[in-house]
Amino acid sequence: MIMKKETPGQNPPDLTVAIGGLVLKNPVMTASGTFGYGEEYVPYCDLNRLGAVVVKGLSLEPRLGNPPPRIIETPSGMLNAVGLQNVGVRAFLSEKLPFLRRYDVAVIANIFGETVDQYRRVAHILSGAAGIHALELNISCPNVKKGGVAFGARPEAAAEVTANVRAETDLPLIVKLTPNVADIAEIALAVEEAGADGVSLINTLTGMSVDIEKRIPHLANVTGGLSGPAIKPVALRMVWQVVHAVKIPVIGIGGIMTAADALEFLIAGARAIQVGTANFVRPSATMEIIDGISDYLTRHGLGSIDKLIGSLNTNPSNGD
Amino acid sequence: MPEGSSVTTGEILDNRMVARDHFLMRVFLPLSFARPLPGQFVMVRDCRLSGPLLARPLSVFGFQRRPDHSVMELLYRVAGRGTSLFSRMKPGEGLCVLGPLGRGFSIHADVKRIVVVAGGVGIAPLSFLVDEGYRQSPSLEKRELRVYLGAGTEELLTCRERLSGVCDLRICTDDGSLGYRGPVTGLLGEELHEFAAEDTAIYACGPTAMIRELGRLLRNSPLRCEVSLEERMACGVGACLGCAVAVQNAAGRREYRRVCHDGPVFDLREMIFNGS
């Protein structure tokens, strides 16, 4: 049970943030692929309190996913190679979305395709459905043979798929970026110019782990995506770079386990954040993070989260 | 989703070695922690967060309600970093427990004979099934219980005392140091003709090779058999899709199910074994 803290005689701070036309009650979202379709977390979270739920990546047709083993824990993190197993966009609309619509929470559909045309068709189907508040374009999955990161690694390809989906939908469009590139800001700029309303970063870092006794990879896919606290400093650095490169809102993702982690991203300029691996470790992590952000703003006398976002002072000796 | 699952802080009452590499941990839990069903599991980790990032899935081995608290028993084998750290935890230390989780064993009211096939630490959920699912049910006391309990060697065997008085216990060791020499599926195969499909239910848990061999043994048999599977997990609640297992769905097509959420107990006949 989650008890809302009441401070007598003091209004709770305003946590509202906007991403394009999408207004969220607070900046805390669940990262795609770490929260199922929401239902799995009902015993541990009040979905009504979340800024948004970003659902597991959806493709035009159902996907079987990769063979097991799919995950392995690594120092301060984990590798996964699930391979975008999902029920397909139509089954999502008929079987999964009705449950989420019972809650007062923004639903962001993460979408994936092997071709530009598949991305367009998934976006088209979702745009006609009630109860979808935004799209997150996954051009950054490292665990599939076709599509995914192939679109996210080059600015021209990223811009092409973004522009095509943009033409297909009026929904706010977020593009999720891969860190497995030389210059992430260049990709962010390309998708901004192609019509994205926001960018979210980072997806997982490509990694690998070996079972030395059997001399085989720990993952059947050989490589996988690294997530968890291990990637947080890298994610924070990339968010900070992208915040300074683009004008559209940036959503920070990568190893956020606590409110303190979330605050680092917000101070560095992220308009919102996504919680991923922490949901696996502490299923009510998002609730603790929302409370922690609110408490921090109260403690620092900030009436609104707008005053915090991007408030990083990189020249503290010149400050007061 | 399992009824009444929650995140609870328990306290270790004791944690002792019961056989080589095998430990029995008893955990004090508040009454708010829901009573687990046989075959369900919990995700556990050291509350201090100093250990591994992810919790570890452990089957429930025993559960007792007391007037003002509950005691949960976890029987585990030290298999890696997580369980090695568990084995060094002391009484009084806090254990974060998420659960009870997953779909447990079916309890059959109509069978006369229960056959349990356990390899190694796979006995943990099965012992709880025998005790909680059948022995404590007054209407079921006339059931015949037969347990095939296997391990590599005698010193790796657990639960002999717990099981010996209450069932027909058949011990198997790979090296023949105690009981039948060979795998549990070897002895089961020799005695399979004793069982009739209409009055027998088989339950199994053990290493992948044992489950695969069981699948081969029972391929053309009408005997019903449920197996509890083990897989690496991150979340335990069905979200991460890390613990995938290949099954044949109702339409005859291959698909992946989640051991944590769709299992850990599956009908043996649904399973697809590589190379079979």
Side-chain angles (χ1 to χ4, degrees):
Chain A
M1 185 168 50
I2 285 95
M3 302 288 284
K4 191 89 181 126
K5 281 184 189 144
E6 296 282 348
T7 314
Q10 194 180 357
N11 291 326
D14 179 10
L15 298 184
T16 313
V17 295
I19 312 285
L22 176 68
V23 177
L24 305 176
K25 62 182 78 156
N26 66 61
V28 179
M29 314 181 190
T30 59
S32 178
T34 67
F35 207 69
Y37 300 105
E39 205 166 347
E40 291 84 350
Y41 281 85
V42 166
Y44 320 106
C45 285
D46 179 359
L47 300 187
N48 296 310
R49 292 192 60 210
L50 289 167
V53 170
V54 185
V55 299
K56 174 75 185 161
L58 298 166
S59 49
L60 195 56
E61 302 299 334
R63 288 178 61 96
L64 201 54
N66 289 331
R70 291 175 168 185
I71 56 167
I72 181 74
E73 183 165 340
T74 55
S76 296
M78 62 177 282
L79 288 167
N80 88 81
V82 170
L84 288 171
Q85 176 181 336
N86 80 99
V87 296
V89 65
R90 292 179 192 88
F92 165 75
L93 290 178
S94 62
E95 294 164 20
K96 306 292 183 184
L97 186 60
F99 175 84
L100 270 175
R101 291 194 66 193
R102 306 208 308 245
Y103 294 87
D104 174 28
V105 63
V107 176
I108 301 178
N110 180 286
I111 68 171
F112 164 82
E114 292 182 357
T115 62
V116 170
D117 187 56
Q118 285 183 4
Y119 276 103
R120 274 176 39 159
R121 288 165 67 188
V122 178
H124 179 81
I125 292 166
L126 289 166
S127 298
I132 301 290
H133 299 83
L135 299 182
E136 182 179 62
L137 211 53
N138 180 356
I139 57 166
S140 44
C141 179
N143 299 324
V144 289
K145 288 197 180 71
K146 285 187 278 183
V149 76
F151 290 103
R154 289 184 305 116
E156 304 78 26
E160 188 199 352
V161 66
T162 304
N164 272 277
V165 171
R166 176 75 289 167
E168 205 65 55
T169 185
D170 294 325
L171 289 170
L173 180 61
I174 299 159
V175 182
K176 186 167 179 177
L177 305 180
T178 175
N180 304 306
V181 292
D183 183 1
I184 196 167
E186 182 188 33
I187 311 281
L189 267 171
V191 302
E192 178 181 41
E193 282 166 17
D197 296 304
V199 285
S200 54
L201 61 140
I202 58 176
N203 204 321
T204 54
L205 281 152
T206 312
M208 190 169 157
S209 176
V210 170
D211 180 333
I212 58 167
E213 295 304 321
K214 297 179 184 160
R215 300 189 210 172
I216 58 171
H218 272 125
L219 301 177
N221 193 53
V222 185
T223 62
L226 179 65
S227 65
I231 72 167
K232 196 192 78 175
V234 178
L236 191 58
R237 181 267 294 178
M238 289 188 164
V239 163
W240 184 73
Q241 282 179 322
V242 171
V243 161
H244 289 273
V246 299
K247 295 181 189 69
I248 53 177
V250 175
I251 301 165
I253 322 168
I256 296 175
M257 306 300 285
T258 63
D261 295 334
L263 288 161
E264 284 194 67
F265 280 85
L266 295 166
I267 292 166
R271 187 77 57 90
I273 58 99
Q274 292 181 7
V275 179
T277 301
N279 294 314
F280 302 156
V281 182
R282 299 191 326 279
S284 56
T286 45
M287 303 291 108
E288 298 163 22
I289 290 169
I290 294 164
D291 288 339
I293 292 171
S294 184
D295 290 349
Y296 174 93
L297 293 176
T298 303
R299 190 151 47 82
H300 287 261
L302 299 170
S304 136
I305 197 158
D306 288 339
K307 299 197 169 69
L308 180 76
I309 292 167
S311 60
L312 182 72
N313 177 4
T314 50
N315 293 302
S317 57
N318 300 342
D320 47 2
Chain B
M1 129 200 17
E3 280 299 307
S5 175
S6 62
V7 182
T8 307
T9 301
E11 185 186 314
I12 296 175
L13 294 169
D14 49 70
N15 185 25
R16 62 190 169 84
M17 192 188 276
V18 291
R20 194 178 85 201
D21 297 337
H22 291 69
F23 288 76
L24 174 61
M25 184 188 278
R26 292 171 65 248
V27 185
F28 177 103
L29 289 167
L31 288 176
S32 58
F33 189 86
R35 186 178 195 95
L37 303 169
Q40 286 192 307
F41 70 100
V42 289
M43 296 292 288
V44 295
R45 61 180 174 83
D46 186 335
C47 285
R48 290 170 301 192
L49 276 177
S50 53
L53 175 69
L54 302 173
R56 296 294 188 267
L58 296 179
S59 287
V60 176
F61 175 57
F63 193 85
Q64 296 98 38
R65 275 261 194 259
R66 303 279 158 76
D68 61 348
H69 68 279
S70 297
V71 175
M72 182 169 62
E73 293 179 303
L74 301 170
L75 175 70
Y76 61 98
R77 182 175 68 90
V78 173
R81 183 163 161 251
T83 43
S84 173
L85 288 167
F86 289 157
S87 74
R88 295 198 289 275
M89 291 185 76
K90 300 276 184 286
E93 290 182 341
L95 196 73
C96 281
V97 183
L98 167 62
L101 298 168
R103 201 178 65 91
F105 293 108
S106 309
I107 307 294
H108 301 289
D110 60 331
V111 298
K112 294 202 186 79
R113 186 177 234 165
I114 310 301
V115 176
V116 165
V117 185
V121 78
I123 190 60
L126 295 168
S127 172
F128 189 46
L129 168 74
V130 165
D131 204 43
E132 181 93 0
Y134 286 104
R135 282 193 59 234
Q136 289 181 18
S137 168
S139 63
L140 305 176
E141 63 193 346
K142 295 207 180 74
R143 295 250 154 72
E144 185 191 322
L145 277 170
R146 184 179 298 184
V147 175
Y148 294 88
L149 177 62
T153 185
E154 184 181 358
E155 60 174 342
L156 291 169
L157 280 165
T158 60
C159 300
R160 278 156 63 193
E161 308 77 41
R162 199 177 278 228
L163 292 166
S164 54
V166 304
C167 67
D168 178 4
L169 182 60
R170 311 271 163 118
I171 288 173
C172 308
T173 52
D174 293 345
D175 64 357
S177 50
L178 194 70
Y180 176 87
R181 181 193 186 103
V184 280
T185 44
L187 183 57
L188 177 73
E190 291 175 19
E191 298 180 349
L192 208 54
H193 64 274
E194 297 174 26
F195 310 131
E198 56 275 15
D199 67 0
T200 304
I202 303 178
Y203 301 95
C205 183
T208 308
M210 185 199 103
I211 304 291
R212 187 182 295 129
E213 178 59 15
L214 199 59
R216 198 193 61 79
L217 267 181
L218 299 177
R219 189 185 299 159
N220 299 312
S221 158
L223 286 161
R224 57 189 125 172
C225 179
E226 284 187 333
V227 293
S228 177
L229 304 182
E230 184 177 49
E231 211 15 279
R232 278 194 209 113
M233 294 177 188
C235 70
V237 301
C240 75
L241 309 184
C243 59
V245 58
V247 299
Q248 191 169 314
N249 66 18
R253 283 211 294 274
R254 178 191 174 93
E255 67 178 30
Y256 289 115
R257 300 247 174 90
R258 299 162 291 183
V259 171
C260 69
H261 192 267
D262 305 314
V265 175
F266 291 87
D267 187 322
L268 181 67
R269 276 173 189 74
E270 292 176 307
M271 298 190 56
I272 298 174
F273 299 103
N274 289 333
S276 69

